[in-house]
Amino acid sequence: PIDPEHPIQRMQHFFRDSGAKVLLTQRKLKALAEEAEFKGVIVLADEEESYHADARNLALPLDSAAMANLTYTSGTTGTPKGNIVTHANILRTVKGTNYLSITEQDTILGLSNYVFDAFMFDMFGSLLNGAKLVLIPKETVLDMARLSRVIERENISILMITTALFHLLVDLNPACLSTLRKIM
C-alpha cells in the first residue's frame, strides 16, 4: 500500500525497490503513479474496463509462506525498508490466537492508515472472521469528539489504538468505550 500523500521520491523508491509489476489504483491517482515513474501495468479499480482482460482466478491453493503484503517502514532512521508479510503471518495474527477471538458479532474500528501494518489486523481480523469493519476518514481520527461518537454509534467491540489516543478518549468521553470488549 502507498499513501498518495507521500512525497513522489518515496513512491519512486517503493516502485523501484519492490519491483512491482502491477499497480491497483483509482483514475484520479493515475497521473500521480505516472509522475512517480511506475513502469508496470496500472489497473484502475474504478474503471470497469480494467476487469475484462483475464477473468481467471489465481491458482489455488496459495502457499502460506507466500507474500501477502509488502509494508514499508517509515524510514525515520534512513531509507524505508520493505517488510514482507506472508499469508501465515496474517492468519497467525487474527485466527486461532491466544490473545483474542474475533467473532461475527464483533465490530472492529480501523483507526490506522492503510499503509501501516496495524491496518492489516483491522482488515483481515474482520474479513477472515466475519466481523464488521468500520473505516473512517483521517479527519475523524484526529477529532476526539467525532471519534468517540463513531465508537458509540457503531458499537465498536475491538479496537487497536495508540496509548496516547486512548488516553485522549478516556479524558474526553470514557463512556464511549463501554461497548469495547478488547482494546489493544
Side-chain angles (χ1 to χ4, degrees), residues 119-134:
F119 182 74
M120 282 189 276
F121 171 85
D122 299 336
M123 181 175 62
F124 292 115
S126 59
L127 292 176
L128 295 175
N129 292 290
K132 178 181 176 182
L133 174 61
V134 175

Side-chain angles (χ1 to χ4, degrees), residues 100-121:
L100 168 70
S101 63
I102 302 171
T103 71
E104 294 171 1
Q105 287 73 45
D106 283 311
T107 302
I108 299 174
L109 179 60
L111 284 180
S112 299
N113 184 312
Y114 63 90
V115 303
F116 296 125
D117 57 355
F119 182 74
M120 282 189 276
F121 171 85

Side-chain angles (χ1 to χ4, degrees), residues 22-42:
V22 178
L23 176 66
L24 177 64
T25 190
Q26 298 170 317
R27 177 191 300 257
K28 68 182 181 183
L29 299 173
K30 183 179 180 187
L32 185 60
E34 291 167 345
E35 183 182 349
E37 301 171 4
F38 180 71
K39 305 290 188 212
V41 175
I42 296 176

Side-chain angles (χ1 to χ4, degrees), residues 74-115:
S74 63
T76 54
T77 60
T79 304
K81 294 169 186 61
N83 294 306
I84 293 173
V85 179
T86 66
H87 293 276
N89 296 143
I90 291 170
L91 288 173
R92 174 62 188 105
T93 304
V94 299
K95 295 288 287 181
T97 69
N98 60 359
Y99 67 94
L100 168 70
S101 63
I102 302 171
T103 71
E104 294 171 1
Q105 287 73 45
D106 283 311
T107 302
I108 299 174
L109 179 60
L111 284 180
S112 299
N113 184 312
Y114 63 90
V115 303

Side-chain angles (χ1 to χ4, degrees), residues 7 12 15-16 23 26 37 41 45 48 75 84 88 105 110 121 129 138 140-141 144 150 168-169 171 176:
Q12 289 171 334
F15 293 146
R16 280 191 310 270
L23 176 66
Q26 298 170 317
E37 301 171 4
V41 175
E48 186 178 337
I84 293 173
Q105 287 73 45
F121 171 85
N129 292 290
K138 180 172 39 174
T140 301
V141 176
M144 291 304 103
V150 167
L168 287 172
L169 280 174
D171 290 344
C176 79

Side-chain angles (χ1 to χ4, degrees), residues 1 8 23-24 28 47 81 100 124 136 147 159 173 180:
I8 292 294
L23 176 66
L24 177 64
K28 68 182 181 183
E47 276 192 7
K81 294 169 186 61
L100 168 70
F124 292 115
I136 56 176
L147 179 58
L159 181 62
N173 181 9
L180 294 168

